[in-house]
mmCIF file of all heavy atoms in Angstrom:
data_model
loop_
_atom_site.group_PDB
_atom_site.id
_atom_site.type_symbol
_atom_site.label_atom_id
_atom_site.label_comp_id
_atom_site.label_asym_id
_atom_site.label_seq_id
_atom_site.Cartn_x
_atom_site.Cartn_y
_atom_site.Cartn_z
ATOM 1 N N CYS A 1294 -204.108 55.447 20.877
ATOM 2 C CA CYS A 1294 -204.364 55.636 19.440
ATOM 3 C C CYS A 1294 -203.040 55.590 18.662
ATOM 4 O O CYS A 1294 -202.037 56.091 19.126
ATOM 5 C CB CYS A 1294 -205.011 56.975 19.188
ATOM 6 S SG CYS A 1294 -206.636 57.145 19.923
ATOM 7 N N ASP A 1295 -203.106 54.965 17.515
ATOM 8 C CA ASP A 1295 -201.960 54.901 16.599
ATOM 9 C C ASP A 1295 -202.450 55.315 15.219
ATOM 10 O O ASP A 1295 -203.632 55.226 14.922
ATOM 11 C CB ASP A 1295 -201.394 53.478 16.534
ATOM 12 C CG ASP A 1295 -200.775 53.038 17.845
ATOM 13 O OD1 ASP A 1295 -199.953 53.794 18.394
ATOM 14 O OD2 ASP A 1295 -201.118 51.938 18.328
ATOM 15 N N PRO A 1296 -201.546 55.742 14.339
ATOM 16 C CA PRO A 1296 -201.958 56.048 12.979
ATOM 17 C C PRO A 1296 -202.612 54.825 12.324
ATOM 18 O O PRO A 1296 -202.143 53.697 12.506
ATOM 19 C CB PRO A 1296 -200.644 56.405 12.273
ATOM 20 C CG PRO A 1296 -199.712 56.799 13.366
ATOM 21 C CD PRO A 1296 -200.121 55.971 14.560
ATOM 22 N N PHE A 1297 -203.684 55.039 11.599
ATOM 23 C CA PHE A 1297 -204.357 53.926 10.906
ATOM 24 C C PHE A 1297 -203.485 53.390 9.797
ATOM 25 O O PHE A 1297 -203.334 52.190 9.626
ATOM 26 C CB PHE A 1297 -205.716 54.370 10.362
ATOM 27 C CG PHE A 1297 -206.432 53.282 9.633
ATOM 28 C CD1 PHE A 1297 -206.908 52.163 10.312
ATOM 29 C CD2 PHE A 1297 -206.601 53.331 8.252
ATOM 30 C CE1 PHE A 1297 -207.564 51.135 9.640
ATOM 31 C CE2 PHE A 1297 -207.254 52.318 7.580
ATOM 32 C CZ PHE A 1297 -207.740 51.219 8.286
ATOM 33 N N LEU A 1298 -202.895 54.303 9.011
ATOM 34 C CA LEU A 1298 -202.018 53.881 7.922
ATOM 35 C C LEU A 1298 -200.604 53.679 8.480
ATOM 36 O O LEU A 1298 -200.024 54.568 9.070
ATOM 37 C CB LEU A 1298 -201.991 54.896 6.797
ATOM 38 C CG LEU A 1298 -203.272 54.971 5.979
ATOM 39 C CD1 LEU A 1298 -203.157 56.048 4.916
ATOM 40 C CD2 LEU A 1298 -203.605 53.643 5.357
ATOM 41 N N ASP A 1299 -200.083 52.486 8.296
ATOM 42 C CA ASP A 1299 -198.726 52.166 8.711
ATOM 43 C C ASP A 1299 -198.112 51.257 7.660
ATOM 44 O O ASP A 1299 -198.677 51.067 6.576
ATOM 45 C CB ASP A 1299 -198.723 51.519 10.097
ATOM 46 C CG ASP A 1299 -199.578 50.257 10.175
ATOM 47 O OD1 ASP A 1299 -199.835 49.637 9.120
ATOM 48 O OD2 ASP A 1299 -199.946 49.874 11.286
ATOM 49 N N CYS A 1300 -196.965 50.683 7.946
ATOM 50 C CA CYS A 1300 -196.263 49.832 6.969
ATOM 51 C C CYS A 1300 -197.111 48.635 6.548
ATOM 52 O O CYS A 1300 -197.010 48.151 5.418
ATOM 53 C CB CYS A 1300 -194.942 49.357 7.542
ATOM 54 S SG CYS A 1300 -193.749 50.692 7.725
ATOM 55 N N ASP A 1301 -197.965 48.145 7.446
ATOM 56 C CA ASP A 1301 -198.798 46.974 7.119
ATOM 57 C C ASP A 1301 -200.016 47.342 6.249
ATOM 58 O O ASP A 1301 -200.577 46.472 5.599
ATOM 59 C CB ASP A 1301 -199.298 46.293 8.400
ATOM 60 C CG ASP A 1301 -198.160 45.677 9.202
ATOM 61 O OD1 ASP A 1301 -197.159 45.245 8.585
ATOM 62 O OD2 ASP A 1301 -198.266 45.656 10.431
ATOM 63 N N LYS A 1302 -200.425 48.597 6.289
ATOM 64 C CA LYS A 1302 -201.640 49.004 5.570
ATOM 65 C C LYS A 1302 -201.354 49.994 4.451
ATOM 66 O O LYS A 1302 -202.300 50.544 3.877
ATOM 67 C CB LYS A 1302 -202.624 49.616 6.556
ATOM 68 C CG LYS A 1302 -203.111 48.669 7.615
ATOM 69 C CD LYS A 1302 -204.104 49.374 8.519
ATOM 70 C CE LYS A 1302 -204.413 48.523 9.718
ATOM 71 N NZ LYS A 1302 -204.242 49.250 10.964
ATOM 72 N N ASN A 1303 -200.096 50.226 4.090
ATOM 73 C CA ASN A 1303 -199.797 51.248 3.101
ATOM 74 C C ASN A 1303 -200.224 50.866 1.676
ATOM 75 O O ASN A 1303 -200.118 51.654 0.770
ATOM 76 C CB ASN A 1303 -198.319 51.643 3.128
ATOM 77 C CG ASN A 1303 -197.391 50.521 2.740
ATOM 78 O OD1 ASN A 1303 -197.827 49.445 2.337
ATOM 79 N ND2 ASN A 1303 -196.103 50.778 2.844
ATOM 80 N N HIS A 1304 -200.706 49.652 1.484
ATOM 81 C CA HIS A 1304 -201.178 49.207 0.177
ATOM 82 C C HIS A 1304 -202.655 49.530 -0.059
ATOM 83 O O HIS A 1304 -203.176 49.358 -1.140
ATOM 84 C CB HIS A 1304 -201.015 47.685 0.072
ATOM 85 C CG HIS A 1304 -201.870 46.942 1.052
ATOM 86 N ND1 HIS A 1304 -201.493 46.812 2.387
ATOM 87 C CD2 HIS A 1304 -203.067 46.347 0.923
ATOM 88 C CE1 HIS A 1304 -202.459 46.143 3.017
ATOM 89 N NE2 HIS A 1304 -203.430 45.856 2.160
ATOM 90 N N MET A 1305 -203.337 50.036 0.985
ATOM 91 C CA MET A 1305 -204.777 50.272 0.893
ATOM 92 C C MET A 1305 -205.086 51.442 -0.045
ATOM 93 O O MET A 1305 -204.372 52.444 -0.052
ATOM 94 C CB MET A 1305 -205.363 50.554 2.268
ATOM 95 C CG MET A 1305 -205.247 49.370 3.217
ATOM 96 S SD MET A 1305 -205.859 49.760 4.871
ATOM 97 C CE MET A 1305 -207.631 49.701 4.559
ATOM 98 N N SER A 1306 -206.153 51.288 -0.803
ATOM 99 C CA SER A 1306 -206.597 52.380 -1.690
ATOM 100 C C SER A 1306 -207.310 53.435 -0.840
ATOM 101 O O SER A 1306 -207.760 53.155 0.279
ATOM 102 C CB SER A 1306 -207.560 51.834 -2.741
ATOM 103 O OG SER A 1306 -208.797 51.516 -2.140
ATOM 104 N N PRO A 1307 -207.437 54.653 -1.366
ATOM 105 C CA PRO A 1307 -208.177 55.679 -0.632
ATOM 106 C C PRO A 1307 -209.604 55.226 -0.286
ATOM 107 O O PRO A 1307 -210.097 55.521 0.790
ATOM 108 C CB PRO A 1307 -208.171 56.871 -1.584
ATOM 109 C CG PRO A 1307 -206.925 56.687 -2.374
ATOM 110 C CD PRO A 1307 -206.795 55.178 -2.565
ATOM 111 N N ASP A 1308 -210.254 54.500 -1.193
ATOM 112 C CA ASP A 1308 -211.609 54.022 -0.909
ATOM 113 C C ASP A 1308 -211.635 53.050 0.266
ATOM 114 O O ASP A 1308 -212.541 53.071 1.089
ATOM 115 C CB ASP A 1308 -212.220 53.350 -2.144
ATOM 116 C CG ASP A 1308 -212.604 54.353 -3.220
ATOM 117 O OD1 ASP A 1308 -212.794 55.534 -2.886
ATOM 118 O OD2 ASP A 1308 -212.740 53.942 -4.375
ATOM 119 N N GLU A 1309 -210.620 52.178 0.367
ATOM 120 C CA GLU A 1309 -210.541 51.231 1.488
ATOM 121 C C GLU A 1309 -210.291 51.964 2.796
ATOM 122 O O GLU A 1309 -210.873 51.603 3.818
ATOM 123 C CB GLU A 1309 -209.426 50.205 1.244
ATOM 124 C CG GLU A 1309 -209.709 49.226 0.140
ATOM 125 C CD GLU A 1309 -208.506 48.349 -0.166
ATOM 126 O OE1 GLU A 1309 -207.430 48.882 -0.438
ATOM 127 O OE2 GLU A 1309 -208.684 47.112 -0.101
ATOM 128 N N VAL A 1310 -209.455 52.990 2.753
ATOM 129 C CA VAL A 1310 -209.186 53.778 3.959
ATOM 130 C C VAL A 1310 -210.457 54.490 4.405
ATOM 131 O O VAL A 1310 -210.853 54.428 5.577
ATOM 132 C CB VAL A 1310 -208.044 54.779 3.725
ATOM 133 C CG1 VAL A 1310 -207.887 55.707 4.915
ATOM 134 C CG2 VAL A 1310 -206.744 54.043 3.427
ATOM 135 N N LEU A 1311 -211.121 55.164 3.466
ATOM 136 C CA LEU A 1311 -212.328 55.911 3.813
ATOM 137 C C LEU A 1311 -213.449 55.020 4.320
ATOM 138 O O LEU A 1311 -214.223 55.429 5.201
ATOM 139 C CB LEU A 1311 -212.804 56.728 2.606
ATOM 140 C CG LEU A 1311 -211.934 57.916 2.259
ATOM 141 C CD1 LEU A 1311 -212.430 58.592 0.986
ATOM 142 C CD2 LEU A 1311 -211.889 58.916 3.397
ATOM 143 N N ALA A 1312 -213.553 53.807 3.806
ATOM 144 C CA ALA A 1312 -214.606 52.890 4.243
ATOM 145 C C ALA A 1312 -214.521 52.630 5.747
ATOM 146 O O ALA A 1312 -215.531 52.373 6.402
ATOM 147 C CB ALA A 1312 -214.539 51.584 3.468
ATOM 148 N N ASN A 1313 -213.310 52.719 6.323
ATOM 149 C CA ASN A 1313 -213.128 52.499 7.745
ATOM 150 C C ASN A 1313 -213.596 53.676 8.593
ATOM 151 O O ASN A 1313 -213.670 53.567 9.807
ATOM 152 C CB ASN A 1313 -211.670 52.194 8.041
ATOM 153 C CG ASN A 1313 -211.293 50.787 7.625
ATOM 154 O OD1 ASN A 1313 -211.552 49.840 8.346
ATOM 155 N ND2 ASN A 1313 -210.737 50.652 6.435
ATOM 156 N N LEU A 1314 -213.873 54.795 7.972
ATOM 157 C CA LEU A 1314 -214.329 55.982 8.684
ATOM 158 C C LEU A 1314 -215.840 56.085 8.803
ATOM 159 O O LEU A 1314 -216.341 56.988 9.452
ATOM 160 C CB LEU A 1314 -213.810 57.254 7.982
ATOM 161 C CG LEU A 1314 -212.316 57.459 7.999
ATOM 162 C CD1 LEU A 1314 -211.942 58.675 7.149
ATOM 163 C CD2 LEU A 1314 -211.806 57.632 9.421
ATOM 164 N N PHE A 1315 -216.565 55.144 8.199
ATOM 165 C CA PHE A 1315 -218.025 55.224 8.191
ATOM 166 C C PHE A 1315 -218.637 54.072 8.948
ATOM 167 O O PHE A 1315 -218.076 52.988 9.057
ATOM 168 C CB PHE A 1315 -218.532 55.278 6.755
ATOM 169 C CG PHE A 1315 -218.217 56.582 6.070
ATOM 170 C CD1 PHE A 1315 -217.000 56.765 5.446
ATOM 171 C CD2 PHE A 1315 -219.132 57.617 6.078
ATOM 172 C CE1 PHE A 1315 -216.687 57.971 4.841
ATOM 173 C CE2 PHE A 1315 -218.841 58.823 5.474
ATOM 174 C CZ PHE A 1315 -217.624 59.004 4.846
ATOM 175 N N ASP A 1316 -219.838 54.311 9.476
ATOM 176 C CA ASP A 1316 -220.597 53.342 10.268
ATOM 177 C C ASP A 1316 -222.077 53.719 10.107
ATOM 178 O O ASP A 1316 -222.403 54.517 9.248
ATOM 179 C CB ASP A 1316 -220.132 53.449 11.738
ATOM 180 C CG ASP A 1316 -220.451 52.210 12.554
ATOM 181 O OD1 ASP A 1316 -221.108 51.289 12.024
ATOM 182 O OD2 ASP A 1316 -220.053 52.178 13.722
ATOM 183 N N VAL A 1317 -222.913 53.162 10.931
ATOM 184 C CA VAL A 1317 -224.315 53.575 10.965
ATOM 185 C C VAL A 1317 -224.629 54.134 12.346
ATOM 186 O O VAL A 1317 -224.055 53.693 13.355
ATOM 187 C CB VAL A 1317 -225.298 52.440 10.615
ATOM 188 C CG1 VAL A 1317 -225.120 52.014 9.172
ATOM 189 C CG2 VAL A 1317 -225.105 51.270 11.530
ATOM 190 N N ASP A 1318 -225.532 55.092 12.407
ATOM 191 C CA ASP A 1318 -225.913 55.665 13.695
ATOM 192 C C ASP A 1318 -227.069 54.852 14.292
ATOM 193 O O ASP A 1318 -227.452 53.817 13.750
ATOM 194 C CB ASP A 1318 -226.288 57.153 13.551
ATOM 195 C CG ASP A 1318 -227.489 57.403 12.674
ATOM 196 O OD1 ASP A 1318 -228.232 56.431 12.332
ATOM 197 O OD2 ASP A 1318 -227.727 58.570 12.311
ATOM 198 N N ASN A 1319 -227.604 55.317 15.424
ATOM 199 C CA ASN A 1319 -228.673 54.604 16.116
ATOM 200 C C ASN A 1319 -229.961 54.498 15.296
ATOM 201 O O ASN A 1319 -230.815 53.666 15.596
ATOM 202 C CB ASN A 1319 -228.988 55.254 17.464
ATOM 203 C CG ASN A 1319 -227.842 55.095 18.433
ATOM 204 O OD1 ASN A 1319 -227.031 54.201 18.316
ATOM 205 N ND2 ASN A 1319 -227.769 56.008 19.403
ATOM 206 N N CYS A 1320 -230.104 55.337 14.275
ATOM 207 C CA CYS A 1320 -231.288 55.307 13.421
ATOM 208 C C CYS A 1320 -231.057 54.491 12.151
ATOM 209 O O CYS A 1320 -231.938 54.396 11.306
ATOM 210 C CB CYS A 1320 -231.687 56.729 13.038
ATOM 211 S SG CYS A 1320 -232.116 57.747 14.453
ATOM 212 N N GLY A 1321 -229.858 53.906 11.995
ATOM 213 C CA GLY A 1321 -229.552 53.111 10.820
ATOM 214 C C GLY A 1321 -229.072 53.911 9.641
ATOM 215 O O GLY A 1321 -228.956 53.381 8.534
ATOM 216 N N ASN A 1322 -228.775 55.199 9.825
ATOM 217 C CA ASN A 1322 -228.279 56.049 8.761
ATOM 218 C C ASN A 1322 -226.766 55.984 8.686
ATOM 219 O O ASN A 1322 -226.097 55.854 9.703
ATOM 220 C CB ASN A 1322 -228.684 57.508 9.009
ATOM 221 C CG ASN A 1322 -230.182 57.700 9.001
ATOM 222 O OD1 ASN A 1322 -230.858 57.264 8.082
ATOM 223 N ND2 ASN A 1322 -230.717 58.327 10.036
ATOM 224 N N VAL A 1323 -226.218 56.088 7.490
ATOM 225 C CA VAL A 1323 -224.777 56.121 7.320
ATOM 226 C C VAL A 1323 -224.243 57.371 8.012
ATOM 227 O O VAL A 1323 -224.832 58.446 7.903
ATOM 228 C CB VAL A 1323 -224.404 56.148 5.816
ATOM 229 C CG1 VAL A 1323 -222.909 56.323 5.638
ATOM 230 C CG2 VAL A 1323 -224.860 54.856 5.134
ATOM 231 N N ALA A 1324 -223.143 57.200 8.762
ATOM 232 C CA ALA A 1324 -222.550 58.317 9.494
ATOM 233 C C ALA A 1324 -221.026 58.185 9.474
ATOM 234 O O ALA A 1324 -220.491 57.089 9.488
ATOM 235 C CB ALA A 1324 -223.041 58.306 10.938
ATOM 236 N N ILE A 1325 -220.350 59.329 9.409
ATOM 237 C CA ILE A 1325 -218.908 59.325 9.530
ATOM 238 C C ILE A 1325 -218.567 59.254 11.000
ATOM 239 O O ILE A 1325 -219.247 59.851 11.831
ATOM 240 C CB ILE A 1325 -218.277 60.559 8.853
ATOM 241 C CG1 ILE A 1325 -216.758 60.424 8.752
ATOM 242 C CG2 ILE A 1325 -218.663 61.843 9.551
ATOM 243 C CD1 ILE A 1325 -216.099 61.408 7.833
ATOM 244 N N LYS A 1326 -217.535 58.459 11.351
ATOM 245 C CA LYS A 1326 -217.130 58.347 12.748
ATOM 246 C C LYS A 1326 -216.130 59.472 13.065
ATOM 247 O O LYS A 1326 -215.159 59.652 12.359
ATOM 248 C CB LYS A 1326 -216.456 57.001 13.008
ATOM 249 C CG LYS A 1326 -217.384 55.827 12.835
ATOM 250 C CD LYS A 1326 -216.727 54.519 13.197
ATOM 251 C CE LYS A 1326 -215.744 54.093 12.134
ATOM 252 N NZ LYS A 1326 -215.180 52.749 12.351
ATOM 253 N N ILE A 1327 -216.440 60.236 14.104
ATOM 254 C CA ILE A 1327 -215.571 61.321 14.544
ATOM 255 C C ILE A 1327 -215.192 61.041 15.990
ATOM 256 O O ILE A 1327 -216.046 60.750 16.820
ATOM 257 C CB ILE A 1327 -216.283 62.686 14.413
ATOM 258 C CG1 ILE A 1327 -216.623 62.975 12.954
ATOM 259 C CG2 ILE A 1327 -215.436 63.797 15.021
ATOM 260 C CD1 ILE A 1327 -217.371 64.244 12.715
ATOM 261 N N GLY A 1328 -213.919 61.118 16.276
ATOM 262 C CA GLY A 1328 -213.477 60.845 17.641
ATOM 263 C C GLY A 1328 -212.193 61.555 17.966
ATOM 264 O O GLY A 1328 -211.676 62.345 17.187
ATOM 265 N N ASN A 1329 -211.693 61.248 19.142
ATOM 266 C CA ASN A 1329 -210.417 61.771 19.573
ATOM 267 C C ASN A 1329 -209.725 60.714 20.403
ATOM 268 O O ASN A 1329 -210.327 59.738 20.806
ATOM 269 C CB ASN A 1329 -210.588 63.098 20.337
ATOM 270 C CG ASN A 1329 -211.520 62.943 21.504
ATOM 271 O OD1 ASN A 1329 -211.517 61.923 22.194
ATOM 272 N ND2 ASN A 1329 -212.345 63.942 21.740
ATOM 273 N N CYS A 1330 -208.459 60.904 20.646
ATOM 274 C CA CYS A 1330 -207.657 59.898 21.351
ATOM 275 C C CYS A 1330 -207.660 60.075 22.855
ATOM 276 O O CYS A 1330 -207.044 59.292 23.559
ATOM 277 C CB CYS A 1330 -206.239 59.909 20.834
ATOM 278 S SG CYS A 1330 -206.088 59.202 19.192
ATOM 279 N N ASP A 1331 -208.318 61.114 23.373
ATOM 280 C CA ASP A 1331 -208.240 61.329 24.827
ATOM 281 C C ASP A 1331 -209.280 60.532 25.599
ATOM 282 O O ASP A 1331 -209.391 60.656 26.806
ATOM 283 C CB ASP A 1331 -208.307 62.812 25.158
ATOM 284 C CG ASP A 1331 -209.672 63.433 24.922
ATOM 285 O OD1 ASP A 1331 -210.625 62.715 24.551
ATOM 286 O OD2 ASP A 1331 -209.795 64.662 25.094
#
């Protein structure tokens, strides 16, 4: 795992960053992705 925001992505707006944290679950509902690096 590496930091999502780095020198290449430091231009992203907060909305663009947050959009990468969401997905859909097995039921098709919007869900926030929660994980860990281990």
Side-chain angles (χ1 to χ4, degrees):
C1294 297
D1295 293 310
F1297 179 68
L1298 289 178
D1299 57 22
C1300 292
D1301 294 328
K1302 297 181 190 128
N1303 65 5
H1304 64 281
M1305 296 177 76
S1306 72
D1308 287 339
E1309 290 173 305
V1310 173
L1311 288 176
N1313 285 279
L1314 294 175
F1315 290 85
D1316 200 355
V1317 294
D1318 64 13
N1319 292 337
C1320 299
N1322 297 310
V1323 174
I1325 190 166
K1326 295 184 286 186
I1327 297 177
N1329 55 39
C1330 287
D1331 70 4

